[in-house]
Amino acid sequence: MKENRLFTTGLGIIAFLLLLLSLGKLLGENQAPKYKLSIVVDRSSSAGWEKFRKGLNAAAKHYNLECNFVTTNRFISIQQEYLSISREINSGADGIITELRATEGTGEILNELGKNSKIALVNSEKEFTEASVSVSSVGVDEEALGKALGAEVLRSNLQKYKLRIGILSGNQNKGNLKRRLLSLKKQLLENGQEIVWEIEDKGQVLKELNRANHKRSVDVIIALENDSLEIAARYLRDTGRSFVELYGVGDSDEAVYNLDAGLIRTLIVIDQYAMAYSAVEGLWLSLSNSRRASEDRLVDFYVVKSSNMYTDEIEHILFPTG
């Protein structure tokens, strides 16, 4: 009898273990796959990506995704960026988040890359792509942003009917920045202002800024993106030109500090946290449901001054915690 009880107990244990193994296998089969995303942007170490990284990490955690923020320097061409993205796809990336260095001629490149991966563009203008590939974009209303920035300049404290204005226009190979610039200039010129010089970012912004402002000094400098804004702020501080008003687009800690210190008069802040989160969410939805069409999305921007930067709404944008 004792031996029979031991035999029966042994069979019960074995049956229980087999049941656990079966359940484990079943749960493993039903578990959602963990998709891999690669993020390829120009100058990945730029402080302008700080809030973007926070949004990226929060979304990756929420959707259980593996994200690789690829280390990059300044891309010298769209072909170089294409090779970097291709390497990530060949290494197993299911989805790509990228900021295109240029717009013209990239539709064909996206069609090629989109055959093997889902793609989300950020801070970029999307050319026409084939319906068979999944290419979405997350951006901001550039015309509205340019107009809002121009409106802030027109509220200048300088007692002048016509302001002498210099513009740091960023990378004008990007269609979205080109539209931002055109909207800004339209607002300024229609209101009788003088644009003295424009400087594109071709890798030597500070050198070109020194040269241009030495030839023809300005009352106001406007920077259309974060890196140029930081360069302009350092230039004004180091040369003692506190009388020049500075306006711009950015959200880095340095830019926020300069706004608080009074070196920047108005800061246009794009919700980069929401942009990253939305890009990740869109890719997850597309990867989880192959029949789901990719969607383009817009995020908000905020006009931030020293007078409103510590309100609850703006603090949440300037100092996200996710």
Side-chain angles (χ1 to χ4, degrees), residues 159-217:
Q159 300 300 311
K160 290 189 175 184
Y161 172 73
K162 178 179 285 189
L163 298 168
R164 299 190 311 275
I165 299 171
I167 302 175
L168 303 178
S169 59
N171 175 10
Q172 285 296 299
N173 289 319
K174 296 182 60 178
N176 64 309
L177 278 184
K178 189 173 292 185
R179 289 192 290 118
R180 188 180 300 180
L181 175 63
L182 288 174
S183 178
L184 168 67
K185 290 172 66 175
K186 183 175 185 289
Q187 178 82 339
L188 296 174
L189 295 174
E190 286 181 351
N191 286 275
Q193 305 307 309
E194 179 187 6
I195 299 174
V196 175
W197 45 255
E198 296 177 30
I199 298 172
E200 293 184 36
D201 183 359
K202 297 182 178 179
Q204 300 188 62
V205 173
L206 180 58
K207 180 180 178 180
E208 294 298 323
L209 174 56
N210 269 295
R211 181 184 299 165
N213 207 47
H214 178 71
K215 288 182 178 179
R216 294 192 67 190
S217 61

Side-chain angles (χ1 to χ4, degrees), residues 38-205:
S38 287
I39 296 82
V40 181
V41 296
D42 198 31
R43 290 180 285 195
S44 62
S45 61
S46 167
W49 295 112
E50 291 171 357
K51 310 297 188 302
F52 187 92
R53 284 177 180 267
K54 289 185 177 182
L56 180 77
N57 292 335
K61 182 178 180 180
H62 180 81
Y63 289 104
N64 190 33
L65 300 170
E66 180 182 328
C67 287
N68 174 32
F69 207 105
V70 180
T71 301
T72 63
N73 295 314
R74 178 188 176 92
F75 289 124
I76 60 174
S77 67
I78 192 65
Q79 289 75 22
Q80 184 186 22
E81 186 172 11
Y82 167 78
L83 291 174
S84 182
I85 296 172
S86 296
R87 279 195 296 270
E88 293 305 308
I89 294 174
N90 292 334
S91 297
D94 301 298
I96 297 289
I97 297 174
T98 186
E99 176 209 33
L100 294 179
R101 169 161 179 72
T103 297
E104 187 175 354
T106 56
E108 186 176 340
I109 290 174
L110 291 172
N111 286 333
E112 180 65 29
L113 294 171
K115 293 176 181 177
N116 300 303
S117 183
K118 309 286 187 180
I119 299 174
L121 305 181
V122 293
N123 286 313
S124 305
E125 185 168 294
K126 184 177 72 172
E127 283 197 326
F128 175 79
T129 54
E130 296 172 359
S132 59
V133 299
S134 177
V135 180
S136 60
S137 69
V138 186
V140 69
D141 185 335
E142 298 291 358
E143 284 74 18
L145 189 154
K147 186 176 181 179
L149 183 54
E152 289 303 308
V153 175
L154 294 174
R155 296 188 182 100
S156 166
N157 284 339
L158 298 175
Q159 300 300 311
K160 290 189 175 184
Y161 172 73
K162 178 179 285 189
L163 298 168
R164 299 190 311 275
I165 299 171
I167 302 175
L168 303 178
S169 59
N171 175 10
Q172 285 296 299
N173 289 319
K174 296 182 60 178
N176 64 309
L177 278 184
K178 189 173 292 185
R179 289 192 290 118
R180 188 180 300 180
L181 175 63
L182 288 174
S183 178
L184 168 67
K185 290 172 66 175
K186 183 175 185 289
Q187 178 82 339
L188 296 174
L189 295 174
E190 286 181 351
N191 286 275
Q193 305 307 309
E194 179 187 6
I195 299 174
V196 175
W197 45 255
E198 296 177 30
I199 298 172
E200 293 184 36
D201 183 359
K202 297 182 178 179
Q204 300 188 62
V205 173

